[in-house]
Amino acid sequence: MSLEKSEESGTSSTANYGSKQPLEGSERPSIPKALTRECQLFGVDSVNGANATVSIALNPVALINTECVTVTSAMRKDVRLARSSVAAILGGGSSYRPGPRSIYLNEKERIEGIHTNGTGRDDLHVGNDGNNLVSYWGRKGKEGKTLQDNPLLSAFARLRTDIRGCTDIRKFDVPSLLHPFLQVIRSSSTSADITSLALVAITKFFAYNLISKHSPRLSLAMQLLSVAITQCRFEASDSAKDELVLLRILKLMEGMLSGPGGQLLTDGSVCEMMETVLSMCCQVRLSEMLRRSAEITMISMCQVIFERLKSIEEQDTNDCVISESLDDKSEEPQLKMDAPLKGKNVASPQTTTPASAHFNAPDKLRQSSLETRLPTGTDRLAETQPAVSDSVVDINYTTASKSEDKADIKPYALPSIRELFRVLVNLLEPHDRQHTDPMRIMALRVIDVALEVAGPSVVRHSSLRSLVRDDLCRHLFQLVRSDNMSLLNESLRIIGTLLATCREVLNLQQELFLSYLVACLHPKVEIPREPGIELALYEGIRQPPPEISSGRSTPVPVKDRQKLGMEGGSRKPDAREAMIESIGALVRIPSFLAELFVNYDCEVDRANLCEEMIDLFSRNAFPDSATWSTTNVPPLCLDALLVHIQLVADRLNDRQVTEGFPNSLKLREQRARKKIIIKGASIFNESPKSGINYLALQGIIKDPEDLRSVAYFLKSTSRISKKILGEYVSKKSHESLLSAFLDLFDFSNKRVDEALREMLASFRLPGESALIERIIAVFSEKCCANSTPEGIADKDAVYVLTYAIIMLNTDQHNPTVKAQARMAFNDFARNLRGVNGGKDFAPQYLQEIYNSIKTNEIILPDEHDNKHAFDYAWKELLFKTQISGNLKICNTNVFDSDMFEATWKPIIATLSYVFMSASEDSVYQRVVVGFDQCAQIAAHYGIIDALDHIVYCLSIISTLASDTPPNTALNTEVQAGNKTVMVSELAVKFGRDYRAQLATVVLFRGIIAGNESKIRNGWKHIIRIWVNLFLNSLVPPSFPQTLSVLDMSPIPIQSPSQIINRSERSNDSGIFQTFTSYLSSYAADDPPEPSDEELSDTLCTVDCIYACPFENILDSFLTLPTETLVVLVHAILDKLLKTSSPLVIVVKPDPSSPNHSKFNGHRSITGDSNYDPSVNFALELATILAMRDEQTVATVGKDVAEALQNVIRDASNIHPITVSRAVLYLLHLLNASHEQSILRAPVILHTISSLDTSLMKKSAVPILKGLSLCMRQPGPLRNEIANSPDFWSTIRDLHLIPEVASSVFGLLESILKGVPSAITADNYGAAVTLLRSFANMGNTNAANNHKQDRSRRAVKSSKQHNPRDDETVVRGVKAVTIIYQLSSRVPLLIQQSHLERNEAWNAYWSPIFRALSSQCTNSCRDIRHHAFSGLQRALLSPELASADHQEWTAIFSEVLFPLISQLLKPEVYHSDPASMSDTRVQAATLICKIFLHYLVLLSEWDGMLDLWLRILDVMDRLMNSGQGDNLEEAVPESLKNIILVMTNGGYLVPPSQGSEQTLLWDETWKRLERFLPNMYAEIFPEHNSSSQATNGTTNREQELPTSTTGTLQPNPDTS
């Protein structure tokens, strides 16, 4: 047969299980094969109701006939059943036909009350009447008696007859089709093989779709089939065959429920079927394979059943009239499933109860050597036909009436589902010893599947929700304490599923579970110190407190929670790993931790579960956690953390949905309040008075003097220790507070014991009797305050009764008191006689109090540890569940910011520690991604501290952020072609550290790049890295072009100790040459050349640094927000402050200077200067950033300037390069900030001018460059600098330095020639003095003048002169010219100065004349000639002289006379003998010109005579100097002109003409007679000199006027 073939060729899907009982006999099929065959025959590929129907090639009618023949054939071969007539075989032996009503129940009766007569009789069986089901056989027995035909065989014959001519078997009546097979299944006289064949046939009918959802009366057929298979009976023979029958029953029930007729089953049918399967799961006498198969079937059926719950929910949801409370009301109040009990099994020899809605599952199936007894309803039939009566259960529905067809059969719904769920939950009861752990594990698996399928739907029905909240959670939270790993794993799994699907209604239950896991898993040991890992990297891990906080981190206080058995304690490593896996799975729920944060961390009376969970994962991710758990725990915890980070990062860019969620601002306020309360409660538990004061200062207690306010806080805050609270309020000094505290209770309409129970729930009674007495006294008053309780006389009666109740509670529940010694009611009542106002209390009243205390202890959790404490705490939890509300589901990213801000420290600490201790690339990869995602989150939400800490951790890991400057003394430059590499200690070490390289790349590419504007304190670590790289030539010594605002040369860095040019070496250099090089280096005490390995490590470092976008980061500085840039600049300046001891290194030589390092050789480090390039780097970068824009100048310019000035002030201890660059940075900053006036130019200039001469000389170029920049544009800064004495002092010192003299003069020219000019009354004198100094430098060119003279005489000069001398002369000439040009500004300066005339002369005119006159003796001819020219023009200036004042007359005494005196000196003459005589002539001529020019004004001056006589004396000295003929010719000529002009002008006339200037005439000729005796004759030739001499002066005077006026004219040159 095909069936056998299937059995032989099939493979078992459960081959791993096997049977505990070995099969005997070769003909017995193995159970795995049987199970495989059943799976194949059933043809169901889904538990959700989707049947995989199979088309058949046979005629369906023929197939049914074949199955009938197969069953009947087997029955005929059975000895007990081998009785049948020919008619039975041929199909015509039974002539029975039922009447109109017959004996059959209608459909509704069959479903609702088949077995309800209470007598145990089967109502389907009728008595011995004419309509009996049985007929008579057509043959006689041995004794001649007529034997009855077997009704089982007759039923098959009738079926074969009925289906003849049937064209569509799907339209055939289904109850009639199944009737004979069901009789076989229910018959106890059939063997396992026959029953199996009947089950196979029915299975085929469903599998081949012979019975479809449109088949007639399918609903009734499903009920009958359910009853038949749940009451299946057969003779037990072989255990393998018997279990095969049970296996086929399981598969058939599974197919029924998931097939097209499954939804037509009633609640009773479903309960019967599930109870049957459940009994198989729990029977220990069945084989392991069968029990496992039953469990699989149970799971599949539960999937279908709970899937239906979804549709029921949708139906209930649409019906808004039906309230949720109706879920608790069953339309079938008798529907009940009994859980299988230990010791009861299907083989138990007991009577089967009739099938009903209320039954015991183990009694449904009976097997073994004993047969199942018949129901009592068949007794009468058994009396007459004992041989067959046990097998006769004839059911025929072929002639049911039409009204019966339309019977209302309600499909299964909530009642059966609720009952099934209740039974499964009850199996978990940990204190029920009849339930074994395997039973609990099976129940856990089934419940887990149910919750997986319909968890949210389960909790939407109040009856199921109450089961979940109470019984299920209570059992689970106790099972997780089990040491049975299988039970623990299943418990954790179902808790995980429960929280994943139903946590919305498990607010407090979830807190209890997670708090227990935290208590179990969080280690109370410090993190071990690991070498090479800095403590600062993991300081963010919060160490656990010595005990869980005294607050209410669960729905009850911690001590109460410990009495729940949830105190944690030591768990096995495998248990810890299972717990970690459980909560790790919860963390993978995207919103799980956010929900913990919102619902617990932000609630005052809840634990900080989110923070505790993160702490838990973080701490257990450390490798040392494997010592108390397993090696799998650290990676599991790390994975959980990384998953959490990824989930937060994935929803960064999601739209923030706030509607329907708590307000974030309000949550922040709650968290802040919570922190204060926690701290205040902690203080209160140490010192109550201090705690109240602290809470009052923080605003938690509004008024500490308001006792009601204080009492309300103490009562409503669960974090206060109940013991401390009881002791505090019971003190005598706090009676008012105790009274206010008890005023908060409502004791009205409550018995004294109820009121006492309520009061003692808020605090613990103190130990001293006096304190207890005080509390009871106040309590008594409060109970009688409004009205005396019924049956109570007064407060004294309440007082005594309260004491008695406390004593009774102690007596009844003290474990040390024996049961027979406990107080009875009579004893309790006797103690209270006559205390109720002189009377007795009502006995009923006392009885109620006694019973309440005896059955329900007034729990004092600190004193008890038993199941009563657990029950009490759990009831308290359930009570609080009703008022706490549901958990808020947070499918949004609104709270991610606050959550990450509260938890980032342990996360980053864990990542840092793992990164430092890891050794596998996969771990590095995950941690790097975690760092990057944390940085993204921190940057996105603006959590600056987190981002800064990430930067800090990666900086530490990179090894580049060391505070100690790297050793650069042995740096070696290796050149190969056009490439140069600096091999240093830092580069070699870094190149060998893969972890450091990875951290550096992550830091600069992943963390910093793009987040520059968000970083704050992290900049100090970044700058430290940058400086260390700069010192080792790993980053360019100059900044990008975008930042090059200073126009400066790159910062000088250290010269390498040696330079190796490998390109010059021969390619065949071998070991000998290497050894020789090493020896030579050793002998010279020089470092050896870097090895190939060191060079390779350095190249790795170079590649790593090149991969970091340093230049892009620098470019981003241009767009940084001002607040970020301020922090960055301060970080740079802090780096300067920490540089306390500069490095002693050698400055890298300027490219233009000779290179002292030699290729392929060593260079000794010499030098006596302390130079730190990092200072220059920091100063330059800070200056650049400060000068970025006006806002940055205003915010950080002053700080940078102060740092620069400090460097300059401490110039004696700082290298000149640093000082010179600092000066330039400072002047650049001054120029950039002049419009904001944040820096004072005089102060800066004074600082610069204070430098000593040698340092000034070394810093000359930068100083002038900066000053030129500041003076470039006209404006207030230019004027302020130009008017500063320190400025003139500085450039006066600098101009003496030949290398910068030209720059100084250029700066001076810009000041003097600028438009408008920067020359003012304040700087006029300084400018003239400096110009004069520049002119004086021309004296150095005197030798050049002689050379020029000699060159004229020689054909070729033997040596060329220095070009710098020509520059000096040019500058001297320009200086003289500028001095003269200044004379044009003197009148304006005088006008602006408001000085007196004499003072103005001395201040403005005199400097110019002195300067020009001094240059008239300059040894340089060009300068001297330009000076004479300028002096003459200046002296002839029309603004110089005036008749109103005479101070200008000083030009003779202060300018001209001193000039001639200087020219007459021999040393002056010898400075330029070739042309100095010409200069004297020019001087003589000049004095005469000036005198004649101002003759008119001088004539009115009182000092005219003295001036004229002095001029004559000067001329006399010039004539008698004896140094050439030029003066002897020039002086008389000049004097002639003066005399002629004076004579013609009437200024020099003889006394005979009536002139009053007789003295002038006489003194003039008297002086002239000394050195020009012939002058008179030459001027007046017509007069005889002798007669004049004889006649005297009078005659000469008389003849002069007429003879000279017309003929003598002055020399035109004198004008």
Side-chain angles (χ1 to χ4, degrees), residues 125-128 132 134 148 373-392:
H125 190 352
V126 296
N128 297 325
N132 202 331
V134 297
Q148 291 180 338
R373 296 181 182 179
L374 283 172
T376 57
T378 62
D379 290 344
R380 285 178 295 171
L381 180 61
E383 293 175 359
T384 58
Q385 302 293 340
V388 298
S389 61
D390 289 347
S391 64
V392 177

Side-chain angles (χ1 to χ4, degrees), residues 12-14 17-18 31-32 34-36 39 243 246-248 250-251 254 277 280-281 287-301:
S12 174
S13 61
T14 57
Y17 289 93
I31 289 181
L35 178 60
T36 303
C39 294
E243 291 193 356
L246 299 180
L247 182 63
R248 285 173 171 165
L250 291 175
K251 293 302 177 183
E254 182 179 354
V277 179
M280 290 189 194
C281 295
S287 66
E288 180 74 12
M289 172 61 73
L290 182 58
R291 283 188 279 117
R292 293 296 179 222
S293 299
E295 182 179 334
I296 294 173
T297 301
M298 187 75 180
I299 290 174
S300 299
M301 295 174 71

Side-chain angles (χ1 to χ4, degrees), residues 465-502:
R465 182 169 61 250
S466 62
L467 281 173
V468 171
R469 280 179 167 176
D470 187 2
D471 295 345
L472 179 59
C473 287
R474 178 159 46 88
H475 298 336
L476 288 174
F477 293 168
Q478 296 178 81
L479 290 177
V480 293
R481 299 185 69 248
S482 172
D483 292 330
N484 185 331
M485 284 304 303
S486 298
L487 188 61
L488 174 62
N489 285 329
E490 295 300 333
S491 300
L492 292 173
R493 177 180 175 86
I494 192 174
I495 290 175
T497 306
L498 190 65
L499 297 182
T501 57
C502 311

Side-chain angles (χ1 to χ4, degrees), residues 158-169:
R158 287 196 300 271
L159 176 61
R160 292 171 60 191
T161 301
D162 291 341
I163 64 175
R164 290 175 186 173
C166 179
T167 58
D168 188 357
I169 197 63

Side-chain angles (χ1 to χ4, degrees), residues 607-626:
N608 292 328
L609 276 184
C610 181
E611 294 185 20
E612 291 179 0
M613 292 291 287
I614 295 297
D615 288 341
L616 171 65
F617 285 125
S618 299
R619 180 62 185 89
N620 284 278
F622 282 61
D624 68 306
S625 64

Side-chain angles (χ1 to χ4, degrees), residues 743-849:
D743 283 338
L744 300 175
F745 294 90
D746 183 10
F747 297 141
S748 59
N749 300 324
K750 293 180 181 178
R751 290 198 315 264
V752 174
D753 63 311
E754 295 174 345
L756 179 63
R757 190 185 300 272
E758 182 180 356
M759 180 187 71
L760 293 182
S762 59
F763 63 85
R764 178 188 173 187
L765 284 176
E768 298 182 20
S769 59
L771 301 180
I772 297 176
E773 181 181 359
R774 188 172 296 114
I775 293 176
I776 295 176
V778 178
F779 170 74
S780 303
E781 294 178 0
K782 299 302 177 183
C783 286
C784 301
N786 297 327
S787 62
T788 304
E790 183 179 358
I792 304 296
D794 51 26
K795 65 179 182 179
D796 294 334
V798 175
Y799 180 87
V800 176
L801 181 58
T802 302
Y803 252 120
I805 292 173
I806 293 175
M807 295 175 61
L808 176 65
N809 185 76
T810 304
D811 176 82
Q812 293 295 316
H813 301 286
N814 190 339
T816 62
V817 178
K818 296 182 179 180
Q820 60 271 21
R822 298 187 188 277
M823 186 185 303
F825 170 72
N826 293 332
D827 300 329
F828 175 67
R830 188 184 308 112
N831 294 335
L832 294 172
R833 288 179 181 176
V835 298
N836 188 18
K839 301 179 181 179
D840 295 340
F841 291 102
Q844 181 65 28
Y845 187 81
L846 293 181
Q847 184 69 51
E848 292 175 354
I849 292 177

